[in-house]
Amino acid sequence: MRRVVLVSNRVVDLRKAAQAGGVAVALAGVARRRHALWFGWNGGIASGDQADTVAREGRLATVPLSESDHQGYYLGYANSVLWPVFHNRLDLAQFEAGFFERFVAVNRRLAGLLQPMLRPDDVIWVHDYHLIPFASELRKLGVQNAIGFYLHIPFPPWQTFLAIPEHQELAHALAAYDLVGLQTKADVANLLDYMSNGVFGRIVPDGRIRLFDRLVSVASFPIGIDVADFAKVRRAGGLVQGPPSIARIIGVDRLDYTKGLPHKFKAFGRFLEKHPQYQRQVVLTQIAPPTRASVEAYSDIRQQLESLAGSINGRFGELDWVPIHYIHRSTPRRRLAGIYRSSRIGMVTPLRDGMNLVAKEYVAAQDAEDPGVLVLSQFAGAAEELTEALIVNPYNIEETADVIRSALEMPLQERRTRHEALMAAVRKHDVSSWSQSFLSQLERVRSDDDPAGWRSPEPIRTALEKLEQAMDSPPRPGSRKPKDYQGRAAARSDIG
Ligand code: GDG
């Protein structure tokens, strides 16, 4: 088996990966199961020459960042430009001079440090928005290996992407990959739209996109979880305040403005107001560990949330009942599954999310005989697969408040039927099928400038029209909900 070289912004100790978030857990699983090398940032800050020292330990190769790299590349371009824009928050983007140059420089430096460790038959798999230019920097060093890219966050509508001053440079960087993987079909449609309208890409007869002077495949590979990890848990006892009859609604989200936490708190407050019979009967437990706290938008959301929790608890709370149980710390992963299982509702209501693994974890952790109900935002990538959840528009506070009531009152038989369908969807695209399908497609789609592939390119619109024709339901005006464009790579197997 060929070696797979994983490249991601953050590399974590394989023994401690279980304490980290979804991307780290997924990549640690690939690194453990395959012949692999995992390269990236070790999470530390170093000065001067030390920032260029690669530490090798087993399958891991890590480097620190310098303080200026951390500011300009990680906190700057990646998390103050790409993250907000890709989540449709142009209002929060900080297009500061120098960020993009630092972003490219860090990618160049990391590519230069990895290149001497590469072997000719390695397959290279680069992860997430921090590293979009990584392949083009490797190509400049003469690397000809198959290189794939996976975007864990959504791809925005093409006109939103155009607002990034360096969008053309980013498009050139994407063209250096052989395969670009996205979470959902809607993301594939957005990227194709951009390639077609923004940088005049064309589709060649084999389904690949001709972009500048390269051929690239684009397909969706919905990420999943290790289902067995969550399915084997027991109900966590002693976790709910007050008598056991109190129903818990659970939320687990990094404290990020994309996760819709203020909207969730407001909807819960409105639910208590509209349905007073549920006061003292229900609690909302929100686990919201801190993240990127030195970026201004993140301290703003924290203040907003704490003030909302305070006012709802002050308004409705009693001496023996606090309606919102808000925890601004990380909870050990081994406890999360038990908390999911003992909660009547899993409330996953981001304003925008690439996939959202918490939704899948909540489903996997339920007791099939007496399952809880998943309330899921229509703007989470997971909504494309988890159609039997109660799907809500998180901006609609009234509707979300009513859906909380419906979830609490849902009869057992309906809960079981919905859970069975949700569980089938979660099993279908678990974490190992995700990595296997991406890597096997990447090995197949090597774009080695086959001259036949360059003949008679067509506008990408043709592919998008085929997608629309294949839709289960007619498109809503002004929207596109693609069902089956997979590019050349994905046309051969069911990857979502
Ligand atoms: C990005 C994309 C995409 C959360 N709190 C704690 C904790 N977690 C774990 C959860 C889950 C993971 O972190 C979060 O994953 P999500 O998918 O929900 O969201 P992001 O962190 O934003 O991830 C997202 C994902 O990448 C994968 O491609 O789905 O759309 O934004 O696994 O359980 N884990 C522990 N304590 C916590 O307090 N141990």
Side-chain angles (χ1 to χ4, degrees):
M1 191 189 280
R2 290 161 76 182
R3 184 172 74 158
V4 55
V5 176
L6 300 168
V7 186
S8 65
N9 170 61
R10 194 71 169 81
V11 172
V12 296
D13 184 332
L14 291 180
R15 287 158 305 195
K16 295 184 186 150
Q19 293 158 23
V23 179
V25 173
L27 297 190
V30 180
R32 267 194 228 102
R33 281 191 306 272
R34 312 247 326 191
H35 177 33
L37 174 70
W38 186 8
F39 174 76
W41 179 33
N42 64 8
I45 304 291
S47 57
D49 293 350
Q50 284 175 348
D52 280 339
T53 310
V54 180
R56 283 292 300 264
E57 196 193 334
R59 294 160 186 232
L60 307 187
T62 56
V63 286
L65 290 178
S66 70
E67 182 57 42
S68 60
D69 287 348
H70 185 244
Q71 288 294 332
Y73 148 84
Y74 179 73
L75 296 175
Y77 202 74
N79 285 316
S80 299
V81 176
L82 297 180
W83 177 271
V85 175
F86 281 47
H87 288 88
N88 294 341
R89 290 299 305 267
L90 273 173
D91 58 315
L92 295 178
Q94 307 214 322
F95 299 112
E96 279 189 28
F99 276 179
F100 183 69
E101 288 69 23
R102 180 58 57 183
F103 178 68
V104 175
V106 170
N107 272 269
R108 183 172 306 137
R109 188 171 70 78
L110 294 177
L113 293 171
L114 175 66
Q115 189 251 344
M117 293 185 269
L118 292 175
R119 301 172 191 157
D121 65 343
D122 281 341
V123 172
I124 304 167
W125 189 7
V126 179
H127 287 262
D128 234 359
Y129 57 102
H130 319 80
L131 296 170
I132 292 173
F134 197 83
S136 61
E137 295 304 325
L138 281 180
R139 300 275 184 230
K140 286 179 198 158
L141 297 170
V143 173
Q144 294 184 3
N145 302 48
I147 314 181
F149 177 73
Y150 189 79
L151 184 68
H152 289 263
I153 63 177
F155 195 86
W158 71 278
Q159 281 163 317
T160 305
F161 192 70
L162 281 188
I164 302 177
E166 303 82 12
H167 73 90
Q168 295 229 16
E169 287 87 338
L170 294 172
H172 268 281
L174 282 176
Y177 291 96
D178 297 298
L179 173 61
V180 173
L182 299 156
Q183 296 275 20
T184 66
K185 290 159 189 144
D187 295 319
V188 170
N190 281 347
L191 177 56
L192 292 186
D193 249 349
Y194 167 72
M195 285 177 165
S196 168
N197 298 314
V199 283
F200 311 111
R202 310 280 284 178
I203 190 158
V204 299
D206 68 9
R208 285 182 291 172
I209 313 298
R210 180 174 149 186
L211 197 58
F212 309 110
D213 57 348
R214 292 198 87 256
L215 291 171
V216 55
S217 291
V218 178
S220 66
F221 301 84
I223 195 170
I225 58 164
D226 183 340
V227 178
D229 238 19
F230 285 89
K232 64 188 178 207
V233 293
R234 285 169 191 276
R235 194 174 279 263
L239 290 162
V240 183
Q241 308 168 58
S245 62
I246 284 193
R248 186 204 333 249
I249 303 172
I250 184 71
V252 177
D253 309 82
R254 284 182 305 100
L255 185 50
D256 193 297
Y257 52 81
T258 61
K259 301 290 183 184
L261 295 170
H263 297 70
K264 189 191 293 191
F265 281 16
K266 282 181 196 162
F268 182 64
R270 182 73 183 121
F271 157 78
L272 293 175
E273 185 178 51
K274 276 179 100 170
H275 309 292
Q277 70 274 27
Y278 280 106
Q279 291 179 18
R280 307 179 85 102
Q281 305 300 314
V282 183
V283 294
L284 167 62
T285 297
Q286 178 63 52
I287 297 171
T291 182
R292 303 169 200 167
S294 45
V295 175
E296 198 180 312
Y298 288 78
S299 43
D300 291 350
I301 188 85
R302 179 180 173 180
Q303 281 171 12
Q304 196 188 349
L305 206 59
E306 285 175 359
S307 131
L308 263 172
S311 77
I312 293 168
N313 284 340
R315 178 168 171 205
F316 296 103
E318 301 283 350
L319 285 175
D320 58 350
W321 173 66
V322 181
I324 297 183
H325 186 196
Y326 166 64
I327 302 160
H328 183 49
R329 283 191 315 277
S330 183
T331 300
R333 192 171 172 82
R334 65 188 150 70
R335 292 197 67 190
L336 278 184
I339 300 172
Y340 289 142
R341 194 173 174 108
S342 63
S343 301
R344 270 303 289 280
I345 299 177
M347 197 157 169
V348 180
T349 47
L351 304 178
R352 194 75 187 98
D353 218 327
M355 175 55 63
N356 196 298
L357 295 175
V358 170
K360 296 187 172 186
E361 292 166 0
Y362 177 78
V363 169
Q366 296 310 299
D367 173 357
E369 295 304 312
D370 184 17
V373 178
L374 177 64
V375 173
L376 179 62
S377 161
Q378 68 188 83
F379 303 117
E384 215 173 73
E385 295 165 86
L386 303 183
T387 50
E388 291 303 312
L390 294 185
I391 304 287
V392 293
N393 169 3
Y395 293 95
N396 188 339
I397 304 294
E398 285 300 309
E399 177 202 54
T400 310
D402 291 342
V403 167
I404 292 173
R405 181 182 177 173
S406 309
L408 286 168
E409 294 176 1
M410 188 182 287
L412 178 62
Q413 191 49 48
E414 184 179 350
R415 283 191 276 129
R416 283 184 183 156
T417 311
R418 285 180 182 269
H419 178 258
E420 196 180 333
L422 290 170
M423 197 62 182
V426 169
R427 284 191 199 284
K428 186 171 174 196
H429 294 128
D430 69 358
V431 68
S432 77
S433 78
W434 167 74
S435 60
Q436 277 166 21
S437 39
F438 186 94
L439 288 169
S440 60
Q441 303 294 347
L442 176 57
E443 292 192 39
R444 284 204 282 260
V445 300
R446 215 33 248 285
S447 85
D448 44 9
D449 272 358
D450 162 16
W454 290 82
R455 264 188 274 121
S456 29
E458 289 181 273
I460 290 176
R461 190 129 311 276
T462 315
L464 288 170
E465 277 161 15
K466 282 186 199 148
L467 268 181
E468 282 181 355
Q469 282 163 15
M471 283 170 58
D472 293 338
S473 53
R476 280 168 289 158
S479 79
R480 179 174 290 122
K481 199 174 174 207
K483 287 292 173 194
D484 77 349
Y485 178 77
Q486 301 288 324
R488 181 181 86 155
R492 298 191 185 128
S493 71
D494 174 13
I495 55 170

